[in-house]
Amino acid sequence: MNANAPEHQLVDVHSHFVTPEYVEAATRAGHVHPEGMPRWATWSVPEHLAMMDEAGIARAVLSVSSPGTHFGVDAAARALARSLNRFSAGVVERFPDRFGHFAALPMPDVEGALAEATYALDELGAAGVAVLSNAHGVYLGDPRYAELYAELDRRGAIVFVHPVSPPNWERVSGGRPRPMLEFIFDSARAAADLVLSGTVHRHRNIRWVFSHSGGALPVLAERLELFRGLLPEQVPGPAVTEQLAGLWYDIAGTPFPHAAPALTRAFGDDRVLYGSDYCWTPAAGALAQARTVDPAWRALTTRNANRLLDERAGVARPRTPAIAMLPGL
């Protein structure tokens, strides 16, 4: 297979960037070994483009990974999110045919998140927004987010959900890197919370994107529906399995031979997307993963991504000109 043939080009909806400012702010907040990983990832535009070219990735949508931008102080989180969003918009401005971006929101600060979503979508040309599966233990179905979701629903916005460590991770992770297991379960927990809280049904115009082939969701969907009738609150909308099938899923991580086929068996294949998880997955790992994606899966995920990233919420040029870039990038 020629990965660089036009018909085999991928659209990567799950790719990350870091900046020195971000690493410094997170490290000061105690994230020296982010999510239990040995060290911080490194990133630059030239390195990212080189990986994309070798992997056959036509476009990549950038986002901030966990641990996010909120380290305890609302004002600092708002300033950090704004700085990072302007930075990623600057990358898109320089390379509009190769990059888009999902804007970081300083959740659980609802007022700050609403202001940043409005600014990023209206002024920076963001393709959507990025949130974490929980923000300091507040999961996505929490009613405090109602005003934010109403606005995102009105816009038909894309909301990319990235996993993060769950509350009390110290008791369950066994000292292992949390992306290995905890991220998989926290994605499932967040998606289940959105459905069981009625958020998905109430805000049917939001396009939720979950990572890593849905985590544990493909094997839990029927179990969630089984217990639905035992819950004290009524869960609105159709069956849990049907609501989960209405979400979007990228296949970042280890999609083959088991995870991605399990996802499509559970929820169908019309909302499956490609994700590299670069730069937190180093270039060698991202390239090895890309080689497992055969031409049929490449065509499928690219077709779906083009449908998701439509003209209104697509990989767009930022509308704020002359956004400063960090030296060397």
Side-chain angles (χ1 to χ4, degrees), residues 1-324:
M1 178 189 71
N2 179 5
N4 290 308
E7 65 272 21
H8 295 153
Q9 290 284 287
L10 291 162
V11 176
D12 183 359
V13 302
H14 185 161
S15 65
H16 301 302
F17 70 100
V18 297
T19 69
E21 174 200 21
Y22 177 53
V23 174
E24 181 182 355
T27 301
R28 283 201 310 268
H31 297 279
V32 178
H33 300 287
E35 307 295 1
M37 298 296 285
R39 63 190 65 84
W40 277 88
T42 60
W43 179 89
S44 74
V45 168
E47 291 173 338
H48 200 151
L49 287 172
M51 185 282 294
M52 290 169 62
D53 288 343
E54 188 170 350
I57 298 171
R59 294 181 292 154
V61 186
L62 299 170
S63 60
V64 176
S65 184
S66 53
T69 59
H70 200 299
F71 304 131
V73 178
D74 284 353
R78 294 180 186 188
L80 182 59
R82 176 63 55 90
S83 176
L84 289 167
N85 291 336
R86 286 177 62 84
F87 177 88
S88 56
V91 176
V92 179
E93 185 178 42
R94 286 182 61 195
F95 302 95
D97 296 327
R98 302 305 303 274
F99 290 111
H101 71 122
F102 293 140
L105 301 185
M107 291 167 75
D109 171 17
V110 177
E111 182 180 345
L114 185 56
E116 193 58 30
T118 300
Y119 174 75
L121 294 170
D122 288 346
E123 303 299 329
L124 298 182
V129 300
V131 302
L132 297 177
S133 52
N134 79 83
H136 299 286
V138 180
Y139 279 89
L140 296 175
D142 194 286
R144 75 186 70 186
Y145 294 141
E147 184 180 3
L148 173 63
Y149 292 160
E151 177 61 17
L152 294 174
D153 184 80
R154 184 185 70 80
R155 293 170 175 269
I158 298 170
V159 180
F160 176 77
V161 181
H162 194 278
V164 69
S165 296
N168 299 315
W169 59 264
E170 302 91 339
R171 298 184 179 183
V172 296
S173 67
R176 303 177 184 93
R178 274 91 75 188
M180 184 171 69
L181 288 175
E182 308 315 322
F183 277 23
I184 301 304
F185 290 109
D186 215 58
S187 284
R189 190 176 292 112
D193 188 50
L194 282 171
V195 171
L196 297 176
S197 66
T199 303
V200 168
H201 184 67
R202 282 193 300 273
H203 301 291
R204 280 167 275 183
N205 292 322
I206 294 177
R207 290 171 286 175
W208 303 94
V209 180
F210 280 81
S211 299
H212 304 121
S213 301
L217 285 172
V219 297
L220 292 178
E222 287 85 2
R223 187 174 182 85
L224 292 171
E225 177 63 24
L226 177 67
F227 278 80
R228 175 182 182 172
L230 301 179
L231 299 177
E233 70 278 9
Q234 183 177 3
V235 178
V240 171
T241 49
E242 183 177 339
Q243 293 192 56
L244 290 174
L247 309 179
W248 299 74
Y249 301 93
D250 73 55
I251 58 171
T254 53
F256 300 104
H258 302 300
L263 172 67
T264 58
R265 283 195 299 270
F267 304 134
D269 64 9
D270 64 338
R271 298 193 175 196
V272 178
L273 308 162
Y274 173 76
S276 71
D277 211 357
Y278 184 83
C279 59
W280 283 101
T281 295
L287 291 170
Q289 185 253 35
R291 285 192 287 270
T292 71
V293 185
D294 68 22
W297 279 90
R298 283 175 171 259
L300 171 69
T301 60
T302 296
R303 183 169 61 249
N304 291 342
N306 288 334
R307 196 172 82 253
L308 173 69
L309 298 166
D310 62 22
E311 189 173 314
R312 182 162 54 93
V315 179
R317 289 175 172 81
R319 291 159 58 182
T320 300
I323 297 172

